[in-house]
Amino acid sequence: MTAPEKILWEKLKNNSILNLKFRRQHPIYKYIVDFYCHRLRLVIEIDGEIHENTDAKEYDCNRTYELEELGLVILRFRNDEIFKNLIGVLRKIQFTCENIISPPKSPL
């Protein structure tokens, strides 16, 4: 795992977000995702600098599309978000989990 992945894993392991179990380096289809919550079908990916080049962006876009076609929700964070705004990242993960568990009701 990369340094940002290790930092985030310390916050995800031991069911620390809403008592949800996350797995790291989990195989799904033809990919290995950084983190996965089976119960919510939630994938969390951490993107380093390599993901900034054109080929990597295209690959990531296709990968995200294929995973979403399997009914998965994908969250992506950049390395610097983990380093500079870990609390914000954790809030976004928790918010996403809460909305998957109990989607907001639309007004009629």
Side-chain angles (χ1 to χ4, degrees), residues 5-104:
E5 290 171 348
K6 288 177 185 176
I7 290 168
L8 186 56
W9 177 240
E10 285 300 313
K11 301 300 182 181
L12 294 176
K13 69 181 185 179
N14 299 324
N15 304 0
S16 58
I17 293 182
L18 302 174
N19 204 32
L20 294 167
K21 179 175 179 63
F22 283 86
R23 298 173 186 188
R24 59 188 165 116
Q25 302 300 304
H26 186 74
I28 298 175
Y29 183 45
K30 59 184 178 181
Y31 303 110
I32 305 285
V33 300
D34 293 332
F35 304 102
Y36 181 63
C37 176
H38 180 73
R39 177 176 161 209
L40 301 184
R41 301 182 54 81
L42 173 64
V43 171
I44 301 173
E45 292 282 86
I46 309 300
D47 296 338
E49 291 177 15
I50 189 75
H51 295 265
E52 293 300 319
N53 75 48
T54 304
D55 290 339
K57 285 181 180 182
E58 184 177 330
Y59 173 82
D60 287 343
C61 184
N62 290 332
R63 175 182 162 124
T64 296
Y65 174 79
E66 289 183 7
L67 292 172
E68 287 176 339
E69 284 293 300
L70 296 173
L72 304 175
V73 175
I74 316 300
L75 282 179
R76 286 190 169 277
F77 299 99
R78 295 181 321 277
N79 282 353
D80 64 322
E81 289 180 276
I82 303 298
F83 289 130
K84 296 178 182 175
N85 188 20
L86 182 59
I87 291 173
V89 167
L90 294 172
R91 284 183 180 147
K92 184 169 184 178
I93 293 169
Q94 181 163 335
F95 178 79
T96 300
C97 291
E98 289 170 346
N99 281 319
I100 293 170
I101 292 168
S102 182

